Amino acid sequence: MAGAEVGTMELNDAVFGAEINQAVLHAAVRAFLLNQRQGTQSTLTRAEVSGGGIKPWKQKGTGRARQGSTRSPQWIHGGIALGPKPRTYRVDLNKKTKRVAMQSALSSKVAGGEMVVIDAITATEYKTKVMADMLKAVGFQKKALVVLEEKNDCVYKSLSNIAGVKIAYVNTLNVYDILNCNLFVVAKGAADMTLTDDNFATIVDAVKEGRGIYANIRKVVGFLLGTNIGEVVTVFFAMILWPLMWLFMLNTRLTVYGRWLSFLQ
């Protein structure tokens, strides 16, 4: 934590050396920001504003424009025309897009020289100055994202007192926070636990190859029963059970429709 270089760390090229996909990063950041919106904004229409139940003046003979209610949109204290109403802003991304976005975000930090791995981030007492000195030693200026290995109240609260610093764990990382920081600080334990794990690269490669549902079933069944038996069970499921399930559902629908038509007759 003193900021001195003690060694180097080899990262997985499949995760940290991937091609940066700007379009996927844009989609991930847009989805994250939209999903933060509560969507609770609401305005009152002319039907929801109290009052205005009587015609303000007669239709003809006054020389004034005809009016039917004092709560029309053109009136003061009138209703709002075409105003916002509560709605959801949620945007969903598929798993492949999320993984490619995380790849691109991590790779961009490595390519830009903004990622730093610290051997250990520990504290036994609440000392903001210790954490501030550590971040300053590794080049902290405006915004930093610190990824911790495990929860530590002393570290968390000490870092939280520093303006521009956000704390995350391995399972709470997101693309927006990674891109929004100028310094990406990762504890070595967190890096060893997930970020350099070959399993992450295997998952990414599997998604790139576009493996479907039958490949996933074959993988699971093959792991449980053995490769040959897994192949047989997968083929049996794909060729026999799956069509039978569809025929059963189709037969159920036809039966319901037949009863409905006979009822109408």
Side-chain angles (χ1 to χ4, degrees), residues 20-211:
I20 301 174
N21 193 324
Q22 297 290 347
V24 173
L25 286 177
H26 174 268
V29 172
R30 176 178 176 272
F32 177 83
L33 293 177
L34 286 176
N35 292 339
Q36 304 308 303
R37 300 191 64 172
Q38 293 183 343
T40 55
Q41 72 283 359
S42 182
T43 54
L44 299 180
T45 64
R46 61 180 295 171
E48 296 169 329
V49 180
S50 62
I54 188 172
K55 189 175 176 67
W57 51 77
K58 64 180 183 178
Q59 183 79 354
K60 295 180 177 293
T62 63
R64 307 182 70 179
R66 54 193 176 189
Q67 301 291 331
S69 172
T70 58
R71 294 299 177 258
S72 299
Q74 71 269 21
W75 283 74
I76 297 176
H77 302 301
I80 303 299
L82 306 177
K85 284 292 185 181
R87 71 181 184 91
T88 177
Y89 290 88
R90 181 159 188 82
V91 175
D92 292 324
L93 299 176
N94 57 54
K95 290 182 180 179
K96 180 177 180 180
T97 303
K98 291 178 182 178
R99 288 166 181 166
V100 173
M102 183 62 70
Q103 263 189 299
S104 299
L106 295 174
S107 300
S108 66
K109 288 302 173 183
V110 174
E114 298 177 350
M115 180 175 174
V116 177
V117 178
I118 297 181
D119 55 352
I121 304 177
T122 58
T124 56
E125 55 182 352
Y126 301 102
K127 286 292 184 180
T128 302
K129 185 177 185 304
V130 175
M131 296 298 165
D133 293 340
M134 176 199 69
L135 293 177
K136 184 178 180 180
V138 295
F140 169 68
Q141 294 180 352
K142 295 182 179 180
K143 294 181 179 180
L145 176 63
V146 181
V147 182
L148 301 177
E149 177 183 1
E150 57 185 6
K151 188 174 182 180
N152 186 321
D153 288 338
C154 294
V155 175
Y156 187 90
K157 293 184 178 181
S158 299
L159 288 172
S160 299
N161 291 332
I162 305 174
V165 175
K166 186 168 184 177
I167 304 100
Y169 300 97
V170 174
N171 59 344
T172 62
L173 274 177
N174 62 78
V175 175
Y176 176 78
D177 288 338
I178 294 175
L179 296 178
N180 194 38
C181 67
N182 303 113
L183 183 64
F184 185 46
V185 181
V186 184
K188 188 175 184 300
D192 292 335
M193 184 168 50
T194 299
L195 298 183
T196 58
D197 194 355
D198 292 336
N199 292 333
F200 186 85
T202 304
I203 293 173
V204 173
D205 293 339
V207 173
K208 283 183 177 179
E209 293 174 7
R211 298 176 182 173

